Amino acid sequence: MPQPLVPLIATPNGSLAHPAYFLLVGIPGLGSKIHFWLAFPLCFMYAVATLGNLAIIFIIRVERRLHEPMYLFLAMLSTIDLVLSSVTMPKMASLFLTGIQEIEFNVCLTQMFLIHALSAMESAVLLAMAFDRFVAICYPLRHASVLTGTTVAKIGLASLARGFVFFFPLPFLLKRLSYCQTHTVTHSFCLHQDIMKLSCTDTKVNVVYGLFIILSVMGVDFLFIGFSYILILRAVLELSTRGAALKAFNTCISHLCAVLVFYVPLIGLSVVHRLGGPTSLVHVVMANIYLLLPPVVNPIVYGAKTKEIRSRVIRMFSQDGR
């Protein structure tokens, strides 16, 4: 099938050519009718993600007894998931429903920056939550003095700043490239590695910097999370009774689910992209899982596993039913 022609816009100095817009594919190999029907479960997922994360933020905000590090970090995670789902799902649903593929060049770069920066922030918050569980289980008497309200706020600001600083150069690195091949992005949203592949100029700087930030941000976070759980597991196994050990480790189950839902697709997606070759259905499915699943699954898991949040939700519905 011939690629549609996309008008090119020369940069002010005339040395580079940027497309006026990119074309989003959606899910390769699926027709417009299948895309149309997929929009409805996608809208349902967006509704679940929005209502679920808003509910968690609201409950933690109004319940003063939940103003503890674990729940404050959870509120940060829900806020990031809420913004991330709003950056990706509405545009994706619009693509599926209307079939309009165009996304303006600068809008695409903005979406790309937000996706990667928010993912880095989520990774940092998951690391902070692992540290909270480590201190709570291994050093319970020092937990309140180590993770004060000020410390939690500083960790939140550091997560925000790190995500912004590390990924802010990406749009500018992409703008320094010239695009004179196909302008079809083989996903339903804009990712750095996919836009980079559309360039016909040297992308070595983009490849090296992209690999550097993946390893130094998500890679380091994942290693520290794994190390935290090794120490937590050792401390749990040293507890005198099996009941105490299960109770201690049960406080980590929700966080472990969030870590797996976030990192397993991320690692798989990174490995598949590093292997090279044309973008396949596997790339697209893994990218969709990586971006769409955590905002939907996290509020469900935390709502089901966290007694305080679950009881508050039940109380809200029981009051509405009277």
Side-chain angles (χ1 to χ4, degrees):
M1 181 179 176
Q3 295 289 342
L5 295 176
V6 175
L8 295 175
I9 301 173
T11 54
N13 60 13
S15 61
L16 300 174
H18 293 163
Y21 51 83
F22 288 115
L23 298 173
L24 301 173
V25 168
I27 301 177
L30 298 184
S32 57
K33 288 184 178 180
I34 298 177
H35 273 117
F36 178 81
W37 289 109
L38 284 176
F40 295 99
L42 182 64
C43 291
F44 176 74
M45 290 174 64
Y46 181 53
V48 171
T50 303
L51 295 175
N53 286 298
L54 280 175
I56 286 179
I57 295 168
F58 173 76
I59 290 169
I60 293 173
R61 173 70 180 84
V62 299
E63 290 280 353
R64 294 196 60 84
R65 62 196 176 97
L66 298 183
H67 292 184
E68 298 176 5
M70 180 173 70
Y71 300 109
L72 295 176
F73 287 134
L74 176 57
M76 294 178 196
L77 185 70
S78 293
T79 302
I80 294 169
D81 281 340
L82 186 63
V83 178
L84 184 59
S85 62
S86 297
V87 167
T88 54
M89 291 189 189
K91 177 60 182 175
M92 192 173 174
S94 173
L95 167 66
F96 287 3
L97 281 171
T98 64
I100 298 175
Q101 297 177 281
E102 294 85 359
I103 181 169
E104 197 265 327
F105 180 73
N106 287 320
V107 174
C108 185
L109 295 188
T110 302
Q111 186 192 52
M112 178 274 305
F113 164 71
L114 289 173
I115 287 173
H116 291 301
L118 289 165
S119 296
M121 294 173 199
E122 181 151 349
S123 178
V125 172
L126 289 172
L127 174 59
M129 296 172 86
F131 178 67
D132 169 69
R133 292 298 83 208
F134 162 71
V135 177
I137 292 173
C138 299
Y139 304 98
L141 298 179
R142 296 175 58 187
H143 183 260
S145 60
V146 171
L147 284 166
T148 61
T150 303
T151 303
V152 171
K154 288 179 179 178
I155 290 173
L157 289 173
S159 302
L160 182 69
R162 190 188 67 160
F164 181 84
V165 169
F166 272 88
F167 289 91
F168 185 69
L170 288 185
F172 300 99
L173 290 176
L174 290 170
K175 278 196 168 188
R176 57 178 279 279
L177 302 176
S178 191
Y179 300 86
C180 41
Q181 299 178 4
T182 176
H183 303 108
T184 301
V185 178
T186 51
H187 284 92
S188 308
F189 33 76
C190 298
L191 298 175
H192 173 255
Q193 54 268 36
D194 296 307
I195 302 173
M196 177 184 67
K197 288 179 181 179
L198 302 179
S199 172
C200 56
T201 48
D202 184 22
T203 60
K204 188 178 294 182
V205 174
N206 295 70
V207 171
V208 172
Y209 187 72
L211 184 60
F212 165 72
I213 54 179
I214 284 292
L215 293 177
S216 61
V217 177
M218 279 77 159
V220 170
D221 289 351
F222 183 71
L223 287 177
F224 276 114
I225 290 172
F227 184 62
S228 297
Y229 271 101
I230 291 173
L231 297 177
I232 288 171
L233 190 60
R234 189 180 70 176
V236 166
L237 293 175
E238 290 175 355
L239 292 174
S240 56
T241 65
R242 184 179 178 184
L246 289 174
K247 184 178 179 181
F249 197 73
N250 191 51
T251 63
C252 303
I253 297 298
S254 298
H255 179 255
L256 270 175
C257 290
V259 168
L260 291 174
V261 167
F262 180 80
Y263 280 105
V264 169
L266 172 62
I267 294 170
L269 185 62
S270 300
V271 169
V272 170
H273 274 293
R274 297 293 171 257
L275 292 177
T279 302
S280 65
L281 183 61
V282 176
H283 291 74
V284 177
V285 170
M286 294 191 76
N288 286 337
I289 292 172
Y290 165 59
L291 287 178
L292 304 181
L293 205 58
V296 177
V297 171
N298 286 343
I300 295 174
V301 171
Y302 275 98
K305 289 292 295 179
T306 308
K307 180 182 176 181
E308 291 81 1
I309 294 175
R310 186 173 67 248
S311 60
R312 173 70 189 203
V313 171
I314 293 172
R315 197 160 69 245
M316 287 168 60
F317 279 105
S318 62
Q319 287 174 351
D320 290 340
R322 289 176 185 175

